[in-house]
């Protein structure tokens, strides 16, 4: 529903959610993370994923000594809670769907929409399985460089979106092949709550690289 609101309202909503911490159940945390990532607040979402507060996944692991996610954040909230409850497993899908940013966008994984939302992280790398093969994503950021590499499996294609903030799109170089090796790959700058976004593609199977290097 937030997609139908104007940017000013969405930005205020994002600020409110980001300032609130986790004030929902382990089940509701899924929707909180989804909202923060979609509203351009990957920084806040990542802070929740790595929080050590009572309402956190690290509290389950480090304090409760659980080896799998629990039914509630703490026994103080539910005295008969179990230590094995899949509805608390939001990080298991938030990392591939949002941090690595891999989503299937066509039946049979014929196409992917890939938009890494890495916040202030400087190194991110991971592989997401699909019915057509693995999708690999790697992001590197430093004061002088920003590189995003994506590899999609054979017989598939992808659209890649790279958040570049206030950087100049002209500073980025894209190395990619069109599907089937035919034609040019389109690169289109867009603007949303995160700043400037480069939309690249569709690209064909193989590796696409987006690089910015300051001289």
């Amino acid at each position: 529903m937030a997609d139908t609101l104007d940017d000013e309202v969405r930005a205020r909503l994002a600020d409110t959610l980001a300032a609130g911490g986790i004030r929902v159940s382990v089940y509701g945390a899924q929707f909180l993370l989804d909202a923060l990532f979609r509203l351009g607040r990957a920084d806040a979402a990542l802070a929740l994923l790595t929080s050590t507060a009572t309402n956190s996944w690290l509290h389950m692991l480090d304090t409760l000594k659980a080896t799998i996610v629990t039914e509630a954040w703490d026994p103080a909230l539910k005295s008969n809670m179990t230590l094995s409850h899949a509805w608390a497993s939001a990080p298991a899908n938030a990392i591939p769907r949002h941090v690595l940013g891999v989503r299937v966008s066509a039946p049979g994984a014929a196409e992917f929409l890939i938009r890494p939302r890495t916040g202030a992280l400087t190194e991110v790398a991971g592989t997401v399985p699909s019915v057509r093969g693995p999708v690999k994503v790697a992001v590197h950021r430093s004061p002088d460089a920003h590189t995003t590499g994506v590899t999609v499996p054979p017989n598939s294609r992808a659209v890649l979106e790279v958040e570049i903030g206030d950087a100049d799109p002209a500073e980025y170089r894209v190395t990619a092949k069109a599907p089937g090796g035919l034609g040019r790959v389109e690169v289109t700058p867009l603007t949303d709550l995160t700043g400037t976004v480069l939309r690249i593609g569709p690209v064909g199977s193989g590796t696409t690289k987006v690089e910015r290097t300051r001289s």
Side-chain angles (χ1 to χ4, degrees):
M1 292 179 64
D3 291 341
T4 65
L5 304 174
D6 63 42
D7 283 351
E8 181 181 353
V9 174
R10 295 173 71 220
R12 293 204 307 268
L13 174 60
D15 289 342
T16 299
L17 293 176
I22 301 182
R23 299 183 183 181
V24 294
S25 68
V26 294
Y27 182 83
Q30 172 73 69
F31 306 101
L32 176 59
L33 290 174
D34 285 345
L36 287 169
F37 278 115
R38 290 186 61 184
L39 290 168
R41 293 304 303 268
D43 56 336
L46 290 166
L48 297 183
L49 287 171
T50 55
S51 171
T52 57
T54 299
N55 289 13
S56 74
W57 291 277
L58 287 180
H59 175 73
M60 296 179 189
L61 298 175
D62 296 339
T63 304
L64 302 183
K65 305 302 181 184
T67 56
I68 194 168
V69 289
T70 60
E71 184 181 4
W73 296 116
D74 189 83
L77 302 172
K78 191 176 191 295
S79 59
N80 64 339
M81 60 178 274
T82 71
L83 295 180
S84 178
H85 233 78
W87 70 5
S89 59
N93 71 74
I95 293 171
R97 288 173 55 240
H98 294 302
V99 181
L100 296 175
V102 178
R103 293 173 182 253
V104 173
S105 56
E111 183 169 311
F112 301 91
L113 174 61
I114 303 173
R115 178 171 177 166
R117 299 177 186 266
T118 55
L121 298 177
T122 57
E123 295 283 348
V124 173
T127 301
V128 180
S130 81
V131 295
R132 299 202 179 215
V135 179
K136 299 180 180 180
V137 178
V139 179
H140 166 78
R141 280 184 182 270
S142 71
D144 298 319
H146 177 198
T147 303
T148 300
V150 168
T151 302
V152 296
N155 300 314
S156 66
R157 49 197 274 169
V159 172
L160 172 61
E161 294 182 348
V162 179
E163 299 177 358
I164 67 172
D166 58 0
D168 182 356
E171 296 179 352
Y172 283 78
R173 181 175 73 246
V174 176
T175 304
K177 292 182 179 180
L182 303 174
R184 297 180 57 189
V185 173
E186 295 292 328
V187 180
T188 307
L190 308 171
T191 302
D192 66 10
L193 292 175
T194 67
T196 301
V197 178
L198 296 182
R199 177 175 290 168
I200 301 148
V203 300
S205 58
T207 299
T208 295
K209 196 169 187 180
V210 184
E211 298 177 278
R212 177 200 189 199
T213 303
R214 290 180 181 175
S215 56

